[in-house]
Amino acid sequence: MSEEEKIEVRLPRLKIKASPEFTTALIIALASSIATGLRAWVTATGPFSHGFISDEVYYATIAEKIAVYVFGYVGPVHAPASGIAAFYWNLEHPPLGKYIIALTLMAEHSSYAFAWRVPSIILTSLEPLIIFLGITIGNPKDERRLIGGVAGALVFPLESITATVGSLALLDTYATFFLTIAIALAINKRWGLAAIAMGLSLASKETALPFVLALAAYYYLNSKDTLKNKIITSLALIVVPVAILVLSYAPLVTFLGLKNVILGMETTLHWDLQNRPSGPIPSSPIDWFFGVNAMIGGIITETLHVGNNYIVKQLLLKFSMNPFIEAPAFLIAMGYFVYLLLVHRSIPRDLGTLFFVIGFATFSVVFIFNHTFYSFYSIIFVPVTAMVWSEVISSIYPGLHSLRKTLGSLLNRLAEETEEVS
C-alpha cells in the first residue's frame, strides 16, 4: 500500500469533566480501597500466613480437588488436610467461591496458603470504591450523594472484620463482594444486573439469601410500575438469583453426577436449619453488631525466653465486627424502621435500612432453628452497614450545611461589628 493509499484513523478523545468536589471524594474512596486492601494483605501475609485458618481447610482443599478433577489441573497442590475424607466435596455450601479459588491456584501454579487468599484481598479492597461509585455515579454533582458516598466508602477500612475474614479464602468474602455490586446496581435501578450480581453472591454462599428477598422488596417499594408488573418483576428478582445458584453447580454435576449434587443441595438446607456439633464459640445475629461472642479464627502461641523466665505469648485472629461502627448503625436502622412502622404506618424505602432490617430479621428467624451461627458470617452485613451510614450522613448533611452557613454569617457580622467599634 502506498503512502497515498494509507487510511488515517483518528480516535475520539474521551473527556471526563469532574468537579473538584467529586475528584476529592473519589480520592478519598480510592484511599479507602487501598487502606482496606492493605489491612487485608497484612492479615493474609502476617503470622497467620502459613496453613489453614478456620474453614479455609475445607474450601481450599475442595478448591484443589475441583481444580484437579473438574477443571483438569495438573500442577502442584497442597497435601490433603487431615480429617477430610476423599469423598467429601463440601456440598453443604454453594460452589462459586471454590471455583474462583481453584482458578487462582491454576493460574499461579502454587499451593502456598497466600495463593488461596489473593482473590479475597483483591475483591475486598474493591468494595469501598464500588459502593462510592454506586452512590455517586448517577449524579456526581450532587453534594449529598458525594458526602454519602464518602461515608459509605470509609466504613470498610474502619470495619475490623474486613481485615480478617476479608483476607482469607472464605466463601463469605465472595458473597460479600457480589452483594456489594448488587447494592451498587440496585441504587441505580439496574434491576436485571443487580439480580445477576445477587445470584453470584448467593452462588458463593447461602448467607446472601436474605438479601435476595431484600432486593425484591426494595424494587417493589420503589417501583412506579403497575401492581401486576411490580409483582412479576419482584418474583423475577428472586427467581433469577436462585436460578444462578442452581446453574453454578453445573461443573460439579459433570463430575459427581446430578443425583449426588442434588443430595448435596439438600444437605445445605439441613446444615443451615439445625444445630451442629460443638465447635467454635457460636453467636446470635444481634451479637455480631455489638462485638459479642466473636469467634477466634486462629491461635498462634509463642514462647519467649526473657532472662531466667519464659513468657507465653498468644496471637489471636478474632472474627469481630467493629461495634463502634456497627452498633450505632444497628440502632439507627432498627429504630428508624420501627418508628416509621408504628408512627407513620409505612415501611422505609431506603436501601440500607431495608436491607439491614430484612437481613437481620431473616437471620434471626433461622437462628431459632439453628443456634450454631458464627461471627464470621457477619461480614455479609458490611456493605449494608455502609449504606446505612451513607443514608444517615447524606440525610443530615443539608442541616449541617445550613448550620455552617448560618454560623459563617454570624461570624462575619460579628467581625464587622468589631471593626466598627474599633
PDB file of all heavy atoms in Angstrom, residues 22-46:
ATOM      1  N   PHE A  22     -16.139  16.223  43.361  1.00  0.00           N
ATOM      2  CA  PHE A  22     -16.177  14.802  43.000  1.00  0.00           C
ATOM      3  C   PHE A  22     -14.775  14.209  43.005  1.00  0.00           C
ATOM      4  O   PHE A  22     -14.563  13.081  43.476  1.00  0.00           O
ATOM      5  CB  PHE A  22     -16.809  14.616  41.624  1.00  0.00           C
ATOM      6  CG  PHE A  22     -16.852  13.172  41.181  1.00  0.00           C
ATOM      7  CD1 PHE A  22     -17.848  12.329  41.636  1.00  0.00           C
ATOM      8  CD2 PHE A  22     -15.875  12.655  40.335  1.00  0.00           C
ATOM      9  CE1 PHE A  22     -17.889  10.994  41.247  1.00  0.00           C
ATOM     10  CE2 PHE A  22     -15.906  11.322  39.944  1.00  0.00           C
ATOM     11  CZ  PHE A  22     -16.919  10.495  40.399  1.00  0.00           C
ATOM     12  N   THR A  23     -13.809  14.960  42.482  1.00  0.00           N
ATOM     13  CA  THR A  23     -12.432  14.471  42.455  1.00  0.00           C
ATOM     14  C   THR A  23     -11.919  14.201  43.862  1.00  0.00           C
ATOM     15  O   THR A  23     -11.295  13.167  44.133  1.00  0.00           O
ATOM     16  CB  THR A  23     -11.520  15.492  41.757  1.00  0.00           C
ATOM     17  OG1 THR A  23     -12.003  15.730  40.425  1.00  0.00           O
ATOM     18  CG2 THR A  23     -10.093  14.986  41.697  1.00  0.00           C
ATOM     19  N   THR A  24     -12.203  15.124  44.787  1.00  0.00           N
ATOM     20  CA  THR A  24     -11.783  14.944  46.174  1.00  0.00           C
ATOM     21  C   THR A  24     -12.438  13.715  46.797  1.00  0.00           C
ATOM     22  O   THR A  24     -11.788  12.903  47.469  1.00  0.00           O
ATOM     23  CB  THR A  24     -12.132  16.193  47.013  1.00  0.00           C
ATOM     24  OG1 THR A  24     -11.494  17.332  46.433  1.00  0.00           O
ATOM     25  CG2 THR A  24     -11.674  16.025  48.452  1.00  0.00           C
ATOM     26  N   ALA A  25     -13.746  13.587  46.564  1.00  0.00           N
ATOM     27  CA  ALA A  25     -14.477  12.441  47.107  1.00  0.00           C
ATOM     28  C   ALA A  25     -13.951  11.136  46.521  1.00  0.00           C
ATOM     29  O   ALA A  25     -13.804  10.131  47.237  1.00  0.00           O
ATOM     30  CB  ALA A  25     -15.970  12.592  46.819  1.00  0.00           C
ATOM     31  N   LEU A  26     -13.645  11.134  45.227  1.00  0.00           N
ATOM     32  CA  LEU A  26     -13.121   9.934  44.572  1.00  0.00           C
ATOM     33  C   LEU A  26     -11.760   9.547  45.151  1.00  0.00           C
ATOM     34  O   LEU A  26     -11.481   8.357  45.364  1.00  0.00           O
ATOM     35  CB  LEU A  26     -13.007  10.168  43.065  1.00  0.00           C
ATOM     36  CG  LEU A  26     -12.439   9.003  42.235  1.00  0.00           C
ATOM     37  CD1 LEU A  26     -13.310   7.760  42.386  1.00  0.00           C
ATOM     38  CD2 LEU A  26     -12.309   9.399  40.770  1.00  0.00           C
ATOM     39  N   ILE A  27     -10.925  10.544  45.422  1.00  0.00           N
ATOM     40  CA  ILE A  27      -9.612  10.277  46.015  1.00  0.00           C
ATOM     41  C   ILE A  27      -9.776   9.625  47.391  1.00  0.00           C
ATOM     42  O   ILE A  27      -9.065   8.682  47.747  1.00  0.00           O
ATOM     43  CB  ILE A  27      -8.790  11.576  46.122  1.00  0.00           C
ATOM     44  CG1 ILE A  27      -8.379  12.049  44.723  1.00  0.00           C
ATOM     45  CG2 ILE A  27      -7.561  11.376  47.002  1.00  0.00           C
ATOM     46  CD1 ILE A  27      -7.739  13.415  44.695  1.00  0.00           C
ATOM     47  N   ILE A  28     -10.748  10.108  48.172  1.00  0.00           N
ATOM     48  CA  ILE A  28     -10.994   9.517  49.496  1.00  0.00           C
ATOM     49  C   ILE A  28     -11.468   8.074  49.351  1.00  0.00           C
ATOM     50  O   ILE A  28     -11.050   7.185  50.100  1.00  0.00           O
ATOM     51  CB  ILE A  28     -12.028  10.350  50.268  1.00  0.00           C
ATOM     52  CG1 ILE A  28     -11.474  11.747  50.566  1.00  0.00           C
ATOM     53  CG2 ILE A  28     -12.426   9.656  51.577  1.00  0.00           C
ATOM     54  CD1 ILE A  28     -12.489  12.689  51.177  1.00  0.00           C
ATOM     55  N   ALA A  29     -12.352   7.832  48.362  1.00  0.00           N
ATOM     56  CA  ALA A  29     -12.850   6.467  48.136  1.00  0.00           C
ATOM     57  C   ALA A  29     -11.710   5.544  47.708  1.00  0.00           C
ATOM     58  O   ALA A  29     -11.614   4.389  48.167  1.00  0.00           O
ATOM     59  CB  ALA A  29     -13.954   6.476  47.084  1.00  0.00           C
ATOM     60  N   LEU A  30     -10.824   6.042  46.832  1.00  0.00           N
ATOM     61  CA  LEU A  30      -9.673   5.244  46.408  1.00  0.00           C
ATOM     62  C   LEU A  30      -8.745   4.960  47.581  1.00  0.00           C
ATOM     63  O   LEU A  30      -8.224   3.845  47.732  1.00  0.00           O
ATOM     64  CB  LEU A  30      -8.913   5.970  45.299  1.00  0.00           C
ATOM     65  CG  LEU A  30      -9.579   5.977  43.917  1.00  0.00           C
ATOM     66  CD1 LEU A  30      -8.842   6.939  42.987  1.00  0.00           C
ATOM     67  CD2 LEU A  30      -9.582   4.575  43.316  1.00  0.00           C
ATOM     68  N   ALA A  31      -8.549   5.968  48.428  1.00  0.00           N
ATOM     69  CA  ALA A  31      -7.712   5.771  49.619  1.00  0.00           C
ATOM     70  C   ALA A  31      -8.338   4.737  50.545  1.00  0.00           C
ATOM     71  O   ALA A  31      -7.626   3.920  51.159  1.00  0.00           O
ATOM     72  CB  ALA A  31      -7.532   7.100  50.351  1.00  0.00           C
ATOM     73  N   SER A  32      -9.673   4.735  50.645  1.00  0.00           N
ATOM     74  CA  SER A  32     -10.366   3.741  51.460  1.00  0.00           C
ATOM     75  C   SER A  32     -10.151   2.337  50.907  1.00  0.00           C
ATOM     76  O   SER A  32      -9.952   1.382  51.669  1.00  0.00           O
ATOM     77  CB  SER A  32     -11.865   4.063  51.527  1.00  0.00           C
ATOM     78  OG  SER A  32     -12.099   5.299  52.161  1.00  0.00           O
ATOM     79  N   SER A  33     -10.190   2.217  49.591  1.00  0.00           N
ATOM     80  CA  SER A  33      -9.952   0.914  48.971  1.00  0.00           C
ATOM     81  C   SER A  33      -8.529   0.434  49.228  1.00  0.00           C
ATOM     82  O   SER A  33      -8.292  -0.741  49.554  1.00  0.00           O
ATOM     83  CB  SER A  33     -10.207   0.998  47.459  1.00  0.00           C
ATOM     84  OG  SER A  33     -11.583   0.920  47.177  1.00  0.00           O
ATOM     85  N   ILE A  34      -7.572   1.350  49.081  1.00  0.00           N
ATOM     86  CA  ILE A  34      -6.171   0.973  49.320  1.00  0.00           C
ATOM     87  C   ILE A  34      -5.961   0.566  50.774  1.00  0.00           C
ATOM     88  O   ILE A  34      -5.306  -0.443  51.074  1.00  0.00           O
ATOM     89  CB  ILE A  34      -5.244   2.147  48.938  1.00  0.00           C
ATOM     90  CG1 ILE A  34      -5.292   2.386  47.423  1.00  0.00           C
ATOM     91  CG2 ILE A  34      -3.811   1.867  49.389  1.00  0.00           C
ATOM     92  CD1 ILE A  34      -4.601   3.649  46.973  1.00  0.00           C
ATOM     93  N   ALA A  35      -6.531   1.349  51.701  1.00  0.00           N
ATOM     94  CA  ALA A  35      -6.387   1.040  53.128  1.00  0.00           C
ATOM     95  C   ALA A  35      -7.033  -0.300  53.472  1.00  0.00           C
ATOM     96  O   ALA A  35      -6.475  -1.098  54.239  1.00  0.00           O
ATOM     97  CB  ALA A  35      -7.005   2.154  53.963  1.00  0.00           C
ATOM     98  N   THR A  36      -8.211  -0.568  52.882  1.00  0.00           N
ATOM     99  CA  THR A  36      -8.892  -1.850  53.116  1.00  0.00           C
ATOM    100  C   THR A  36      -8.052  -3.008  52.598  1.00  0.00           C
ATOM    101  O   THR A  36      -7.886  -4.028  53.275  1.00  0.00           O
ATOM    102  CB  THR A  36     -10.270  -1.854  52.429  1.00  0.00           C
ATOM    103  OG1 THR A  36     -11.051  -0.758  52.920  1.00  0.00           O
ATOM    104  CG2 THR A  36     -11.015  -3.150  52.693  1.00  0.00           C
ATOM    105  N   GLY A  37      -7.505  -2.838  51.397  1.00  0.00           N
ATOM    106  CA  GLY A  37      -6.666  -3.886  50.828  1.00  0.00           C
ATOM    107  C   GLY A  37      -5.392  -4.123  51.624  1.00  0.00           C
ATOM    108  O   GLY A  37      -4.967  -5.263  51.811  1.00  0.00           O
ATOM    109  N   LEU A  38      -4.769  -3.032  52.102  1.00  0.00           N
ATOM    110  CA  LEU A  38      -3.541  -3.169  52.884  1.00  0.00           C
ATOM    111  C   LEU A  38      -3.788  -3.895  54.203  1.00  0.00           C
ATOM    112  O   LEU A  38      -2.985  -4.737  54.622  1.00  0.00           O
ATOM    113  CB  LEU A  38      -2.934  -1.784  53.150  1.00  0.00           C
ATOM    114  CG  LEU A  38      -2.241  -1.115  51.959  1.00  0.00           C
ATOM    115  CD1 LEU A  38      -1.792   0.292  52.327  1.00  0.00           C
ATOM    116  CD2 LEU A  38      -1.054  -1.949  51.470  1.00  0.00           C
ATOM    117  N   ARG A  39      -4.907  -3.571  54.860  1.00  0.00           N
ATOM    118  CA  ARG A  39      -5.234  -4.262  56.120  1.00  0.00           C
ATOM    119  C   ARG A  39      -5.438  -5.757  55.873  1.00  0.00           C
ATOM    120  O   ARG A  39      -4.980  -6.601  56.651  1.00  0.00           O
ATOM    121  CB  ARG A  39      -6.492  -3.666  56.751  1.00  0.00           C
ATOM    122  CG  ARG A  39      -6.326  -2.276  57.305  1.00  0.00           C
ATOM    123  CD  ARG A  39      -7.503  -1.891  58.172  1.00  0.00           C
ATOM    124  NE  ARG A  39      -7.528  -2.674  59.404  1.00  0.00           N
ATOM    125  CZ  ARG A  39      -8.558  -2.699  60.243  1.00  0.00           C
ATOM    126  NH1 ARG A  39      -9.657  -2.000  59.963  1.00  0.00           N
ATOM    127  NH2 ARG A  39      -8.517  -3.428  61.348  1.00  0.00           N
ATOM    128  N   ALA A  40      -6.133  -6.087  54.778  1.00  0.00           N
ATOM    129  CA  ALA A  40      -6.344  -7.500  54.446  1.00  0.00           C
ATOM    130  C   ALA A  40      -5.021  -8.177  54.088  1.00  0.00           C
ATOM    131  O   ALA A  40      -4.758  -9.320  54.489  1.00  0.00           O
ATOM    132  CB  ALA A  40      -7.335  -7.618  53.292  1.00  0.00           C
ATOM    133  N   TRP A  41      -4.176  -7.465  53.362  1.00  0.00           N
ATOM    134  CA  TRP A  41      -2.865  -8.002  52.966  1.00  0.00           C
ATOM    135  C   TRP A  41      -2.027  -8.331  54.196  1.00  0.00           C
ATOM    136  O   TRP A  41      -1.389  -9.387  54.274  1.00  0.00           O
ATOM    137  CB  TRP A  41      -2.150  -6.984  52.084  1.00  0.00           C
ATOM    138  CG  TRP A  41      -0.761  -7.372  51.670  1.00  0.00           C
ATOM    139  CD1 TRP A  41       0.383  -7.305  52.412  1.00  0.00           C
ATOM    140  CD2 TRP A  41      -0.367  -7.891  50.395  1.00  0.00           C
ATOM    141  NE1 TRP A  41       1.467  -7.740  51.693  1.00  0.00           N
ATOM    142  CE2 TRP A  41       1.041  -8.104  50.451  1.00  0.00           C
ATOM    143  CE3 TRP A  41      -1.043  -8.185  49.215  1.00  0.00           C
ATOM    144  CZ2 TRP A  41       1.755  -8.606  49.368  1.00  0.00           C
ATOM    145  CZ3 TRP A  41      -0.322  -8.676  48.140  1.00  0.00           C
ATOM    146  CH2 TRP A  41       1.058  -8.890  48.221  1.00  0.00           C
ATOM    147  N   VAL A  42      -2.000  -7.431  55.155  1.00  0.00           N
ATOM    148  CA  VAL A  42      -1.205  -7.635  56.376  1.00  0.00           C
ATOM    149  C   VAL A  42      -1.662  -8.889  57.114  1.00  0.00           C
ATOM    150  O   VAL A  42      -0.847  -9.685  57.591  1.00  0.00           O
ATOM    151  CB  VAL A  42      -1.300  -6.400  57.292  1.00  0.00           C
ATOM    152  CG1 VAL A  42      -0.716  -6.710  58.667  1.00  0.00           C
ATOM    153  CG2 VAL A  42      -0.564  -5.222  56.660  1.00  0.00           C
ATOM    154  N   THR A  43      -2.987  -9.080  57.192  1.00  0.00           N
ATOM    155  CA  THR A  43      -3.504 -10.282  57.863  1.00  0.00           C
ATOM    156  C   THR A  43      -3.135 -11.545  57.095  1.00  0.00           C
ATOM    157  O   THR A  43      -2.703 -12.540  57.675  1.00  0.00           O
ATOM    158  CB  THR A  43      -5.032 -10.205  58.002  1.00  0.00           C
ATOM    159  OG1 THR A  43      -5.392  -9.024  58.721  1.00  0.00           O
ATOM    160  CG2 THR A  43      -5.567 -11.419  58.750  1.00  0.00           C
ATOM    161  N   ALA A  44      -3.295 -11.485  55.764  1.00  0.00           N
ATOM    162  CA  ALA A  44      -3.066 -12.679  54.940  1.00  0.00           C
ATOM    163  C   ALA A  44      -1.603 -13.085  54.899  1.00  0.00           C
ATOM    164  O   ALA A  44      -1.284 -14.273  54.753  1.00  0.00           O
ATOM    165  CB  ALA A  44      -3.573 -12.430  53.520  1.00  0.00           C
ATOM    166  N   THR A  45      -0.692 -12.128  55.034  1.00  0.00           N
ATOM    167  CA  THR A  45       0.734 -12.431  54.903  1.00  0.00           C
ATOM    168  C   THR A  45       1.481 -12.365  56.236  1.00  0.00           C
ATOM    169  O   THR A  45       2.695 -12.531  56.261  1.00  0.00           O
ATOM    170  CB  THR A  45       1.397 -11.438  53.920  1.00  0.00           C
ATOM    171  OG1 THR A  45       1.220 -10.092  54.417  1.00  0.00           O
ATOM    172  CG2 THR A  45       0.790 -11.551  52.545  1.00  0.00           C
ATOM    173  N   GLY A  46       0.766 -12.120  57.319  1.00  0.00           N
ATOM    174  CA  GLY A  46       1.387 -11.983  58.631  1.00  0.00           C
ATOM    175  C   GLY A  46       1.638 -13.315  59.312  1.00  0.00           C
ATOM    176  O   GLY A  46       1.857 -14.347  58.652  1.00  0.00           O
TER     177      GLY A  46
END
